[in-house]
Amino acid sequence: MSPLSRLPWARPLPLTLGLAALLALVQQQLLLNHPPRLERLTPVGASSGPAALQARFSRPMDPASLQAGSRLAPPLAHRWLGDGDTLLLNLSPDQRIRSPLLLQLAGRDRRGLALPPQRWQWDPRPRLLAVVPVGAGEQVQLREHDGRWQPITPVWPRITMLEPLGNGEAVAVVARSEAGRFRVWRVPLRQQPLRPLGRQGNAAASPVLAGAPEPLGPADMVFAHISGNRRGDLLVQAGGEQPDQVSLQLWPSRGGPSRLPLEASGAVRLLPEGGSAVVPEIDGLSLQDLPPRTPRRQTLPGSRDLSSFCPRAGRALLVRHWPDFRRSLELVEPGLAPRQLWIGPQALVATACSRGGERVWALLVEGVGRPSLTLISLDRRGTVLAQRRLSRWELEPGTGLSYDPTSDRLAVVLRPLEQGQGAPAPAQVVLIEATNLTPVPLQQEALQAIWLPAG
């Protein structure tokens, strides 16, 4: 007999392994018969509708059962998209959201086991951000859904740029000092667009909470331009006194910056979905992948400027400049040549679009001395859907159009045209109905305005 066989633990070993295997089998059977769980429910950016939620479950679910068992109040058309344990609840296009939504979530997994019913309050409506004159300086303020304005930054002498980051998790600001030097700040924001509900009913709305501004980079820049994306990354293009002090840095949502080896003839813009940037060059525009991706460069020749991005990935609006001083508006899509939507002698000063360019809005300026402002709406074929002459207004320099799909409205900053010779009237935020182009002034002084995603 082997000496090892006489040890006290030698003979019971097969029995121990058998008990462990039996225990693992029992645990497996218990897990298989346990109801599925909702592990995570998060708002995500929607490209084909006003809003969307991503749901992750503990096991693969049956999308048809979720479609049949889930309810929204007020009732809105929606679809469950995807397969497996992660699915997307997408609201159908062309629906307006005027209040928070009640989501009743129910369905079954692929084995037919029911998900315990749950109730959530979801408010996908964005809030409005504006640069507001305060005393001798300027401040970023946020408009809550009830119409109240609250400050989220200190008062700086001048604010030249405002850029939401991620899905509303922060806002980046370019501030100029009294000495004419620029600095970039990141202001973290805390929102609660989605909350579970108990038996008490609707949860009370909570305001957006702003953290202390965080400086990014040096404080004595001669110029600074910023661009953000949905991932929360921020691109800072800045320069000092000397030509060799120009820098291009990418600040990720977490971690320190990295210097990008890009050469540009103008302002560089990050793609909303991340991973690439649109770089203006002497002979056109280029789309360049950013690290850690493999370097790749696609070029679109011609005298073109990037005007705005569409919600659907890879779609954007370009302004093309022609030798006869006309401008044209183009829609670019992956793998296709630019599609001309409009051409004319007017100046194209601002644009916006919905989804993949199904609807496009453009602000046109014509004339000298007392130029006239016109807003047009186009479809993706270039057909004019609506047109309105904004004869009582002029566009505040440095601002643009910002589209909110949940309310189907455009935000812009306009200055009333005075008939007399007195001091010019202050600029103010104006919301424009995107279908009939009716302007609705908010009576709030502002110099810039943009929608902040709800999360």
Side-chain angles (χ1 to χ4, degrees):
M1 179 179 295
S2 170
L4 290 177
S5 63
R6 292 194 295 268
L7 293 176
W9 48 264
R11 292 184 179 180
L13 184 59
L15 179 60
T16 302
L17 293 176
L19 289 175
L22 180 61
L23 180 60
L25 181 62
V26 171
Q27 290 177 336
Q28 182 182 23
Q29 291 300 316
L30 289 175
L31 289 175
L32 289 175
N33 289 281
H34 195 273
R37 303 185 317 276
L38 175 67
E39 295 185 342
R40 187 171 67 242
L41 188 64
T42 53
V44 293
S47 62
S48 60
L53 290 174
Q54 186 181 72
R56 180 175 178 179
F57 301 92
S58 60
R59 60 169 64 105
M61 299 294 292
D62 176 18
S65 70
L66 288 169
Q67 186 73 41
S70 300
R71 296 288 184 271
L72 280 172
L76 293 174
H78 62 279
R79 292 190 304 162
W80 283 94
L81 305 174
D83 191 23
D85 59 4
T86 303
L87 294 97
L88 186 72
L89 171 62
N90 193 67
L91 300 185
S92 301
D94 304 325
Q95 300 182 102
R96 293 195 178 192
I97 303 173
R98 295 181 171 86
S99 63
L101 306 177
L102 173 63
L103 170 62
Q104 296 182 346
L105 189 62
R108 296 180 178 275
D109 65 11
R110 290 179 179 174
R111 297 173 61 88
L113 298 178
L115 176 77
Q118 302 181 36
R119 299 168 72 243
W120 294 79
Q121 181 174 290
W122 176 31
D123 194 348
R125 297 173 297 167
R127 293 170 171 88
L128 199 61
L129 287 174
V131 176
V132 178
V134 176
E138 298 171 3
Q139 183 181 55
V140 179
Q141 295 188 8
L142 179 144
R143 185 177 187 262
E144 290 288 350
H145 297 312
D146 59 6
R148 293 180 297 109
W149 289 87
Q150 64 163 321
I152 63 171
T153 70
V155 176
W156 285 301
R158 178 81 189 281
I159 296 174
T160 60
M161 285 197 70
L162 184 65
E163 182 83 359
L165 299 178
N167 286 320
E169 64 190 28
V171 59
V173 179
V174 178
R176 192 181 73 180
S177 67
E178 293 180 352
R181 302 293 177 165
F182 294 84
R183 188 162 203 180
V184 179
W185 300 84
R186 183 184 186 273
V187 182
L189 301 175
R190 181 182 177 187
Q191 302 189 65
Q192 288 185 293
L194 186 67
R195 283 170 290 175
L197 295 179
R199 297 180 180 179
Q200 293 80 10
N202 290 352
S206 59
V208 175
L209 300 178
E214 306 163 354
L216 302 180
D220 57 350
M221 295 180 288
V222 174
F223 74 91
H225 181 274
I226 56 176
S227 175
N229 62 24
R230 298 193 196 109
R231 294 182 180 179
D233 305 327
L234 179 67
L235 184 71
V236 178
Q237 192 173 2
E241 294 284 357
Q242 304 300 324
D244 59 353
Q245 292 177 330
V246 176
S247 65
L248 197 63
Q249 289 187 322
L250 182 65
W251 292 78
S253 57
R254 292 172 179 82
S258 59
R259 193 180 183 96
L260 298 181
L262 301 178
E263 294 185 3
S265 61
V268 180
R269 299 272 296 276
L270 292 178
L271 259 63
E273 59 271 20
S276 304
V278 177
V279 182
E281 300 177 348
I282 298 298
D283 56 350
L285 294 173
S286 69
L287 177 64
Q288 301 189 35
D289 287 345
L290 303 178
R293 290 185 175 183
T294 303
R296 188 180 62 162
R297 181 173 175 270
Q298 304 174 58
T299 302
L300 180 63
S303 180
R304 291 179 168 94
D305 297 325
L306 173 63
S307 182
S308 58
F309 290 108
C310 298
R312 193 165 297 170
R315 278 72 172 177
L317 296 175
L318 306 181
V319 176
R320 184 172 186 179
H321 305 271
W322 294 88
D324 60 0
F325 302 104
R326 292 183 301 166
R327 289 97 171 169
S328 62
L329 181 62
E330 299 177 335
L331 174 66
V332 292
E333 302 174 274
L336 299 176
R339 177 186 303 175
Q340 182 174 288
L341 303 179
W342 174 91
I343 187 169
Q346 299 95 327
L348 264 168
V349 292
T351 64
C353 60
S354 70
R355 292 184 277 168
E358 278 70 15
R359 286 191 296 166
V360 172
W361 298 271
L363 270 173
L364 312 176
V365 174
E366 186 175 20
V368 294
R370 194 180 179 92
S372 62
L373 188 64
T374 302
L375 178 62
I376 62 173
S377 174
L378 311 163
D379 65 14
R380 61 182 296 108
R381 295 181 298 274
T383 303
V384 177
L385 303 175
Q387 179 172 321
R388 182 173 291 270
R389 185 83 169 265
L390 302 174
S391 56
R392 296 176 45 247
W393 304 91
E394 63 179 345
L395 181 68
E396 177 69 9
T399 190
L401 287 172
S402 182
Y403 177 63
D404 168 29
T406 68
S407 64
D408 197 33
R409 293 183 299 181
L410 299 156
V412 66
V413 175
L414 302 177
R415 187 180 297 273
L417 287 173
E418 295 296 328
Q419 300 299 324
Q421 299 298 322
Q428 57 188 273
V429 180
V430 177
L431 300 183
I432 299 177
E433 298 293 328
T435 301
N436 57 26
L437 307 186
T438 301
V440 180
L442 290 183
Q443 307 302 324
Q444 169 65 44
E445 290 188 34
L447 301 171
Q448 300 178 47
I450 193 170
W451 293 107
L452 174 74

